[in-house]
Amino acid sequence: METVNIFIRSIFVDNMVFAYFLGMCSYLAVSKTVKTSIGLGIAVTFVLVITLPINYLLDTYVLGPGALSWLSPELASMDLSFLSFILFIAIIASIVQIVEMVVEKFTPALYSQLGIFLPLIAVNCAILGGSLFMQQKSFDNIGQATTYGLGSGIGWLLAIVGIAAIREHMSYSKVPKPLRGLGITFIITGLMGIAFMGFMGIKF
Amino acid sequence: MSASRKQILVDPISKNNPVVVLMLGICSALAVTAQVKPALVMGISVTVVLAFSNVIISLLRNTIPNRIRIIVQLVVIAALVIIVEQILKAFAYDVWGQLSVFIGLIITNCILMGRLEAFALGNTPFDSFLDGIGNGLGYTAILLIVAIAREFLGSGSLMGYTVIPESFYEAGYMNNGLMILPPMALIVVGCIIWVHRSIDKDLQE
Amino acid sequence: MNKNSNTYTFIYASVMVILVAAALALTNGLLKEKHNKNIEIDKMTQILRSIKVEATKDNAENLYKANIKTAYILNSNGQVVDESQEATFGVDMSKEIIRPLEERQLPVYEAQSEGKTLYILPVYGAGLWGPVWGYVSLQADRNTIYAVSFSHAGETPGLGAEITTEAFQEPFSGKVLFKQGDFRSIAVLKAGQKSDNQDAVDAISGGTITSKGVEDMLLSCLGAYKAFFEQVEAEKKEE
């Protein structure tokens, strides 16, 4: 039940874009058409689902306070959590690299769709943000961490596809000149965020 | 200071502002703007990290192997961010608690990677330092404007001190609680862009 | 030397990693003590606030020493299992609340106010965005609340975050946990709602989920101390 809650919450309530503004740079730059948005959204979800469990293991068995006690009891007082930023980002960067190579080798069709987005993702805040929030929320097991990754990714996908659909239609609207492009996108994202706040407190 | 150097420093504050013109670094910018104090600390932290990572990469620019260029940049940024985080945790514990994961997210702030790639790799350390400070200030400026608007309208205070007199509340004035919620940060930035582009017509799309 | 050769790249990466690791370990080593001190002082300030003693960064430690003379850990039957101040202070509530009740360590801090004993009990639960926690001080009857202090990790400023304000916390004073001999805890209700069989305080308007989180936290965390509360009744009967 807890896992279902985490899933639902991470999509609607703790939405990466609307609640924490993560991944905004690529969100704004790539959301001009629905098709590319779906590609980037899937790539983000994909990388989140892979990196979160790995970083969860890293946090639980290497970095956290006393996490090294499985090696020897003397290490129980070790706390390496100050290294988590650098190791998380290293893991993410290398995973993205590996994913890119694997996808290119085995599924060229998928690569032609996702390929151009993958390098963008290493520095997408939503990915690092996912790992950092995962660490802060201290999940009970790796399943919950993975669910959180999947949910956050889907939430991000939902947000970018939504804004892209609106932006496609906006070419027909009369937006004041200074507001065109970036400005109106911000305001619409804000309004979407307000709509998403209706999901607050949702629970099973 | 020569004119070109002055330009490096001043340009990013308005004309080439990293946030509202180049759309960089918005990710971590908005979540900390419900109040002025965390926004200010965040702005200073980013400026410091930006200036020093620019200098370091500029010093190393002729030695970095091209293949691992991005990784080297990430490692330098991440290391500086960790140092800033450790210092905040030691000397400004309450702000550290408020900023929580958003300090870590400075690493993926696109301004940093963007400036390293676009400027520090091709310029001298001193110019890179100025560029870092300039972009940091441009970022801080936007953060502060958003935070001032949100804290003033949302909580009736600035830096935690109440500025709206008691008599206003007695006369029926109410704080606009909506301003404090995350979506309003986006709308405030949207309005800043609106004003900025109304003044500087070159930027209109 | 060829900048694109494998050897160069490899050596470059290794040197960089070693330098960065050394720099970070050094920073952490130098600041570690200060971090721990900050965490301790923060905790002490919160504990002191729950007995209406306002402390600053500089005097928290002295005030804590002057006010909190004894502290011990109980089990769920109300028996003392550890009497050391240090062990009690070190209990991590976030880890305790997920254990089964029988295995939990329940810390109690005792303070003296005007010759009467106050019991300070830590509470820990979930708000809307993250954890909420706090300290509740009870009067010598182990029933009437003397004062409370709550903190949170990331509740919405102006809404959920208002649980840290005087306006929310003040009404807890004087409320009782037991009604007709049964443990009822304190309800946190929206303005206008009434509760017949338990004492209640007003929720924060717009901060419903955080308010509910505080209510649940009080019920589950204070509920664990039931045996400890009932000892007073038992002692009275013996007299």
Side-chain angles (χ1 to χ4, degrees), chain A residues 37-51:
Chain A
S37 309
I38 294 178
L40 183 65
I42 292 175
V44 165
T45 314
F46 195 58
V47 176
L48 268 174
V49 171
I50 297 175
T51 52

Side-chain angles (χ1 to χ4, degrees), chain A residues 21 25 28 82 125 181-182 190 197, chain B residues 23 27 31 86 110 181-183 205:
Chain A
F21 319 102
C25 308
L28 292 168
F82 69 99
C125 339
L182 195 52
M197 283 177 57
Chain B
M23 298 200 255
C27 325
Q86 299 279 316
C110 327
L181 297 172
E205 287 175 36

Side-chain angles (χ1 to χ4, degrees), chain C residues 143 176-185 197-198 226 230:
Chain C
N143 181 16
V176 294
L177 299 173
F178 282 79
K179 276 279 156 84
Q180 287 109 32
D182 281 329
F183 176 76
R184 301 277 189 200
S185 184
N197 55 12
Q198 67 186 132
K226 215 175 142 205
E230 283 166 348

Side-chain angles (χ1 to χ4, degrees), chain B residues 167-184:
Chain B
S167 55
F168 273 52
Y169 291 105
E170 278 158 20
Y173 176 82
M174 290 237 304
N175 288 327
N176 182 356
L178 192 63
M179 287 306 286
I180 292 167
L181 297 172
M184 286 313 286

Side-chain angles (χ1 to χ4, degrees), chain C residues 133-197:
Chain C
W133 65 92
Y135 296 88
V136 174
S137 64
L138 297 176
Q139 292 179 7
D141 64 358
R142 299 185 192 174
N143 181 16
T144 317
I145 289 180
Y146 178 70
V148 295
S149 79
F150 295 121
S151 306
H152 65 93
E155 298 308 300
T156 326
L159 301 173
E162 296 286 299
I163 58 167
T164 58
T165 58
E166 195 58 17
F168 178 72
Q169 297 179 359
E170 222 287 313
F172 278 92
S173 299
K175 297 283 189 291
V176 294
L177 299 173
F178 282 79
K179 276 279 156 84
Q180 287 109 32
D182 281 329
F183 176 76
R184 301 277 189 200
S185 184
I186 309 286
V188 183
L189 297 174
K190 277 189 191 169
Q193 284 182 333
K194 281 225 164 80
S195 178
D196 296 332
N197 55 12

